[in-house]
Amino acid sequence: MMMCKEATRLMSLRQDRPLSFQERLSLRLHLAMCGACRECNRQFTLLHEAGRRFGPEDSDEPPA
Ligand SMILES: [Zn+2]
């Protein structure tokens, strides 16, 4: 199973570039099992949404 450290890394990485299918899958699986990382992911998503509002340049990553 993926470690929280790895999950957090992917969440952070996702701000910079779209994740690969495998990365997204790993992250999703981890989030399904780990409440702490779900909360962390929520924070990242909020930050990401805020950034989207201010920066027109963004990835074309589909919503999770
Ligand atoms: Zn975790």
Side-chain angles (χ1 to χ4, degrees), residues 1-5 7-8 11 30-31 34-38:
M1 175 186 150
M2 183 166 60
M3 299 285 108
C4 292
K5 193 176 160 191
T8 310
M11 287 180 229
H30 186 86
L31 291 178
C34 182
C37 283
R38 270 202 299 279

Side-chain angles (χ1 to χ4, degrees), residues 25-48:
L25 191 66
S26 302
L27 184 56
R28 269 171 172 268
L29 279 173
H30 186 86
L31 291 178
M33 292 181 284
C34 182
C37 283
R38 270 202 299 279
E39 180 59 24
C40 186
N41 184 54
R42 202 174 63 82
Q43 301 294 333
F44 265 115
T45 304
L46 288 175
L47 281 175
H48 190 55

Side-chain angles (χ1 to χ4, degrees), residues 10-24 27 48 52 58-62:
L10 287 179
M11 287 180 229
S12 176
L13 192 63
R14 197 173 57 179
Q15 313 302 311
D16 297 328
R17 66 158 173 87
L19 299 181
S20 71
F21 176 77
Q22 191 148 27
E23 286 169 334
R24 285 206 310 271
L27 184 56
H48 190 55
R52 192 184 295 260
D58 202 355
S59 72
D60 55 359
E61 182 196 11

